[in-house]
Amino acid sequence: MGRYIIRRLLWVVLVVILVTFFTFVIFFVMPPVDPAILFAGRAPSERLIAQVRESLGLDKPFFVQYGLFLKHIFLGDQYGWPGFGMSFVTRSPIRENFLGRAFVTTQLAAGAAVIWLIMGISIGIISALKRGKWQDRLAMGFALFGVSAPVFWLGLMALYLFWEKLHWLPGTGYVPFGEDPSQWFLHFLLPWVVLALLFAAFYARMVRGSLLDSFGQDWIRTARAKGLPERKVVYKHGLRASLTPVVSMFGVDLGTLLGGAIITETVFNLPGLGTYVVRSVANGDIPVIMDVVVFGGMAVALMSLVADILYAFLDPRVRYT
Amino acid sequence: MKKRTIGALALVLAFALVVAACGDDEGETTTTAAPTTTAPEGTTTVPTTGGGTYRMETDGIAYTGGGDPTGEYLGISWGILSNLLSRTLLTYYHTDGALGNTLVPDLAADFPEISEDGLTYTFTLKDGIMFGPPLSREITSADIEYAFRRMATEGIVAQYLFYYEGLIEGLELSTDMPDDISGIETPDDKTIIFHLTRISPDFIYLVAMPATTPMPEEVAGCFMEAGTYGRYVVSSGPYMYEGSDALDASSCEALVASGPISGFDPEDHSYFVRNPDYDPATDDPAVRANHVDRINIDLNTNVQDIFAKIRAGELDGTVSSGNPPADVLAAYSSDPELQDRLVSGVDDRTMYITMNLAAPPFDDIHVRKAVNLIMDKAGMQQAWGGEISGAIATHIQPPNLAGLGAEYDPYATEGYRGNLELAQAEMALSRYDTDGDGMCDAPECSGVILVNRTTTPWLETEPVVVASLALIGIEVQAQELENHYTVIQTVANLTPMGMNPGWGKDYPDSSSFAGFLFDGRNIIPEGNTNYSLVGLSEVQAAELGVPWPADGIPSVDADIDNCKQIALTDTQGGLDCWNDLDRTLMEEVVPWVPYLWLNVITTIGPAVTNWDYDQFAGVTAFSKVAVDPSLQG
Amino acid sequence: MISLTRPEPTDRNEVILDVRNLRVHFPTPDGLVKAVDGISFQIRRGETIGVVGESGSGKSVSFLTVMGLVSSREAHIEGEIIFKGRDLLKLPQEETRHLRGKEMGMVFQDPMTSLHPMYRIGTQIAEAVLTHEHTSKKAAMKLAVEMLGRVGISKPEESARRYPHEFSGGMRQRAMIAMALILNPDLLIADEPTTALDVTVQAQILDLLDRLKADFNAAVAVITHDLGVVAEHCDRIQVMYAGRIVETGHSQVIYYRSRHPYTWGLLQSIPRLDAEEMHRLRPIEGLPPSLIFVPPGCAFHPRCPYVMDVCRTEVPELGPAHAFNASACHLPAEEKDRIFSQILAERG
């Protein structure tokens, strides 16, 4: 198992390098905005543009820039390790903003994950057990809604209803836990639920399908033939076998979110990686974009690895492969 | 399966209907004529309860120079610097209207003494002008010369150095910071003398721009890379960044270790508190009233939310670029209780459609005139947001600049709706109308690329433009682009038409407007702002790869030089000359269809007891706002 | 002449299972599927019966119903299933659950999918114990290990810690048998226990079943579609067709004096290694009938080479449930014997 993990970790590194390389290419070969012109202001003369280019380090050849970027990530730069570099917009080290924002996004993702797992799995189970009956229809109707309703619409509606009209919840923004635990929770509540809804819907459908699939398996019949009470048949034998696809999906979903839940963060004005990277794309702040890409790529790759390990833990048939 | 899907769909529909029903209880969504509320001219001192915090949120502080006064070239940052942090030799009244474009001594005791030959300007500094924490020391003339030395340093990237370079003797861009500038003398701490290479009556405007604010070498000298000083700015104004006093200025290392200033994070917030070393006796309440104790600008990525909060009283205002969303405008204009919380000022900015004199069919003056005659400007204004968004523009420069107003309208049509007959008559004279029926029918008349932005209200205005052009046979292919400016600024693209640009003054003198925009010598291959290519020479055209049109390209370079010459000695003569240039451009060159003289509109919260507009920067006058804390939500 | 050499020790034993007129009908959108349409039979302690028939004959469904694995929500169930004196169809579900796995056990066809892939073998077997007995996990596991040994799995302790995918097919089936027998049930049902296994392993499994039956003094029902499989191991054979029993009797009789055309067809389609070169296998003509639209009269009549008019209208009766030999066919007895002797002669 140990060797397997080490091999996978090396793959993670390779994947991250590939992803950053392609991102770098996109932003340098065909940038949506040329940062040099953008940061040169209102009346960019050739000379001014050249000055800006040099000050941002954009005058060096492509591979030198990419090489420096990699070197800083792995070996650190003058601001510490890992080297996140300097933002074009703030002209100061990215690290001071980055870790704080990553933390906010992590809190958002983790909280939503807990909710959607609980919601999705329970709804999926109920749906599978009451297949065809009104509970099933209601649950799948909810799933259809959750999957179809755009996140930004849900978010804006939720804000409108619960904050503006009913005054039940405070509005947008982020309050650190240390500052005021109850406000921290209340501010996160809507974003958590809105973000979780989409995933819960997906997971409910998946768990339902997977569970129904499980129920058709022969070992369920054996379990009943042994005289097990139905509850044990469903949970111990049925659910256990249907959890593996959930685990796989969860790894990728959570990993992706850790790279920034862009829409939710924007609607609820959460200072996470999502809003950070979106503004940086509009502002042409390439170092930030690259850093978020690295982080996001790593998050997905690592979470996939964790999911795979968990999968192997659950299903002995895939171990040591 | 079908039943289930239908059931779910019904549920969704029902939800949507319920929400829609609850949603629009504000009334109609069409904007009817709404009065623009501008603060009355000159009234800046309003007795208030004083104190409190003016709370703003924005969706982007959008600094292009990191907040460094040497580099920043943006309206919002100019407003912040000029009102709060960076006093200059001369400044403006930070109010709206003509007074807001009027200079007044700030750090200088009085207007400068100008020598007979007009080449030497002597300023005497006031007593008691101080840098705030962490330095808390007197400002000297050397600190002002230092600002110019920074501008001349390549690595710091002064974005409007071109105004000063070559004008002040000895001021030229170099890799290393010059130890001094030969054209700037500082015989003692209170005196600063500028030697110019030529007579330049707009020099007094140039010393009111934030890049010339005094900077302490002992702090700024530690930050010699573009934008890095922005988070360590030492204030000379009535406010400072919160946390400036926590900096340790004993050495560069100490500064970096104790900084950056906690009150300013360009990705998150700007918090301003009073500068304890600022002496109001050295200032004038008519210039800066400084009612509030604190100004907060926070980032909020959800623009809808910002305006909702302002309305609910959780915020007092915003510095969003662009106007409030249409539904907010509609709500405020139609609700009597809210109407006077919708405030605006004239931006001294012209929004225009630019036509490329080297790109068919616009290389024919008759086509360009026909476009001016057919354009439904009233429709454009309507689509933009109605009368509240600004006055319809009838010529190049906004009225405040040289005094030429809407009374001059060379392509006047009834109700600004455009006139088909006149337009067609004009088009018939063009070689692109082969059969003389008043419709453009040559192959160059179709597939004409029109560059536009991707945002409101440009998107909503686009159909009006497209429809107007179609009436004279010009079939346009509109392209909405994120990087619209880059596209039209790249000469090689030869973009025929763009409806994306606007131009605002840098200072209230025409040389920064028409004099800058239409000078053929300013044309550069990338980042070019003379989009029409007025004044392009044949040599330049060959160099830049621009096909030389049959009729050539008109130039107004001589007129520009002439106006600058006259303005040296004769202020009114200068204004008249610029107005003549405006007329020449509109009637004989026709590079644009100007359509709007933009207003800056914003909403303010219920707790705001005083609000003013800074005519110079085109933003809220931060040093004039006041709130009643008891009314804040 | 046929000599009946096999003793019948079971005729006077206790009746463990007494099924009377069992009907199991499944309502479906296409119609009512009469999977089991009125069958009656008995199984006695110490007896092994082989239940033979094609797919769709109702052989599996009838025993799944006996086990209580067909719920009254999915099918209409009529008749009586008397197990050790009690009619299971009249008992509440909780009570039948207590019998399942403890007093009657079932082994299924495909041991790879019949065992849960994610739990260890030992755990799954021990689970059977823990479900019905108040005992510690340790004790249950000990019992499981012991049972694994009894079914012929080497190194039972190690094997108990393995997962199903680590076993061969034969070993898995042994494990399943262990699981079914661990609580000493009185009835063991084996549904196609050897179909998924190699021929060599088949014999081993069947021998094992024999041995265990003797050890536990249980009754065994072996369900299969292959008459050849059960030849040596069954005391009685019951042939089913289209949800009904068409012939039943002592196994020797079925092989040497069967009296139903369907059975004859089955016998003729068994390949024999010692057959002459030119002897062709004769499959039964036609296809199994739809269970929704069962042919009237004798269900087999459309495929029967000896069909008579009466077969098309009258359902033939089977006769007493535990007879020496009974067949549901309208042919007169002498005809049956004559035809069968002919067939025997052809087979050589």
Side-chain angles (χ1 to χ4, degrees), chain B residues 542-587:
Chain B
E543 275 172 27
L544 296 168
V546 172
W548 187 251
D551 302 337
I553 295 182
S555 169
V556 292
D557 291 357
D559 296 309
I560 292 173
D561 291 342
N562 189 31
C563 291
K564 286 184 178 173
Q565 187 68 27
I566 296 175
L568 289 183
T569 47
D570 175 2
T571 317
Q572 188 54 46
L575 292 176
D576 292 336
C577 182
W578 289 116
N579 285 336
D580 281 338
L581 176 62
D582 202 332
R583 292 191 191 89
T584 308
L585 285 168
M586 283 304 290
E587 294 169 37

Side-chain angles (χ1 to χ4, degrees), chain B residues 478-536:
Chain B
Q479 287 185 350
E480 293 118 13
L481 305 168
E482 282 277 345
N483 56 332
H484 52 94
Y485 264 133
T486 316
V487 169
I488 60 172
Q489 284 173 354
T490 309
V491 174
N493 286 341
L494 212 60
T495 312
M497 201 177 213
M499 58 173 284
N500 55 320
W503 189 266
K505 67 176 195 304
D506 276 356
Y507 51 86
D509 185 284
S510 303
S511 51
S512 82
F513 205 98
F516 179 80
L517 284 175
F518 297 103
D519 193 330
R521 299 159 289 196
N522 282 346
I523 296 177
I524 48 175
E526 274 182 1
N528 174 45
T529 48
N530 183 344
Y531 310 120
S532 315
L533 300 181
V534 174
L536 185 76

